[in-house]
Amino acid sequence: DQQVKQNSPSLSVQEGRISILNCDYTNSMFDYFLWYKKYPAEGPTFLISISSIKDKNEDGRFTVFLNKSAKHLSLHIVPSQPGDSAVYFCAASDDDSWGKLQFGAGTQVVVTP
Amino acid sequence: DGGITQSPKYLFRKEGQNVTLSCEQNLNHDAMYWYRQDPGQGLRLIYYSQIVNDFQKGDIAEGYSVSREKKESFPLTVTSAQKNPTAFYLCASMNPRRAKNIQYFGAGTRLSVL
């Protein structure tokens, strides 16, 4: 049973515009959420995270929003750049899991000129 | 440079053969993880280790085995019992005392069946 879901397998956005990636989860015990970026044939790289005690975390062009009541988080990339073209994974864990992450299926982002 | 090294990059397995994927890290991280990625799916946890000489099964451990004899190394063996081994395998490590839940990944090994 998939506990983390990314329902949009792909997203196309123009350079300079905003990319919004969505992620839903079912396990109410999750208290830490991460976004990873992955290029083909490479390992994922950590992008940004948020703890359940916050509803927003910002790092440069990347902002993650968390809505605990809706069990939903989103990643905003503003402005989108061609180098942002990659697969983005949402991941979640709970405090007792010792770093065991549950990943979503990923969203392929393509930034067009 | 500190990081995680996985080898080989590509690996082919014959029917009935066991193969071992290497994962080495020089980040001085206590915890290490093995994931499997299939097309169109997220990463699924195979095994993880919190400390040397200890490891735990993840969500899809059947057909796999691991060892953790050294802090730096966490090899994964794909046994002949794993009937569908073709996938992209990723190793990760984490320092839970410094950056809880943030795992750092190697470049992966792509395993195919001949």
Side-chain angles (χ1 to χ4, degrees):
Chain A
D1 184 32
Q2 204 169 5
Q3 300 182 60
V4 178
K5 295 179 183 178
Q6 295 176 254
N7 292 318
S8 298
S10 64
L11 172 70
S12 183
V13 64
Q14 270 191 319
E15 183 177 359
R17 307 291 281 265
I18 184 171
S19 295
I20 299 176
L21 290 77
N22 294 304
C23 178
D24 297 292
Y25 61 96
T26 57
N27 189 342
S28 58
M29 298 301 292
F30 287 149
D31 60 358
Y32 201 79
F33 305 89
L34 306 91
W35 285 93
Y36 280 84
K37 176 180 178 179
K38 185 181 180 301
Y39 293 116
E42 293 184 11
T45 54
F46 170 71
L47 198 56
I48 191 169
S49 63
I50 188 166
S51 162
S52 60
I53 62 173
K54 295 185 175 181
D55 55 18
K56 177 182 173 181
N57 189 27
E58 198 170 348
D59 184 1
R61 297 186 296 114
F62 302 92
T63 303
V64 56
F65 296 92
L66 175 62
N67 182 334
K68 280 190 297 183
S69 60
K71 294 191 179 71
H72 176 84
L73 63 155
S74 61
L75 174 68
H76 293 209
I77 307 173
V78 184
S80 299
Q81 299 175 353
D84 296 331
S85 297
V87 177
Y88 290 78
F89 290 100
C90 172
S93 73
D94 64 68
D95 201 45
D96 295 329
S97 67
W98 232 88
K100 286 170 59 181
L101 297 176
Q102 294 289 334
F103 282 85
T107 297
Q108 171 77 59
V109 172
V110 176
V111 180
T112 57
Chain B
D1 266 14
I4 300 174
T5 302
Q6 289 188 242
S7 61
K9 196 171 178 67
Y10 299 96
L11 187 58
F12 297 91
R13 193 191 90 167
K14 293 181 182 177
E15 204 70 42
Q17 186 181 38
N18 292 354
V19 292
T20 297
L21 284 61
S22 170
C23 178
E24 303 278 330
Q25 55 103 355
N26 61 4
L27 300 168
N28 199 32
H29 286 174
D30 287 320
M32 297 187 75
Y33 306 82
W34 273 105
Y35 292 91
R36 168 181 172 141
Q37 186 191 14
D38 293 281
Q41 294 191 38
L43 282 64
R44 293 183 290 166
L45 183 64
I46 305 172
Y47 267 98
Y48 66 103
S49 169
Q50 299 173 358
I51 198 168
V52 173
N53 292 324
D54 183 62
F55 48 83
Q56 309 292 331
K57 291 182 179 180
D59 299 321
I60 55 165
E62 188 174 346
Y64 300 97
S65 66
V66 292
S67 63
R68 187 88 187 276
E69 296 175 4
K70 297 186 300 181
K71 188 175 187 178
E72 304 79 25
S73 179
F74 191 39
L76 173 75
T77 296
V78 184
T79 75
S80 57
Q82 173 49 246
K83 297 306 178 191
N84 184 22
T86 298
F88 190 52
Y89 290 86
L90 287 158
C91 178
S93 71
M94 181 184 80
N95 183 344
R97 285 179 292 279
R98 189 165 183 189
K100 188 179 176 186
N101 292 306
I102 298 176
Q103 294 181 18
Y104 296 87
F105 285 84
T109 293
R110 185 163 297 281
L111 176 61
S112 302
V113 176
L114 289 175

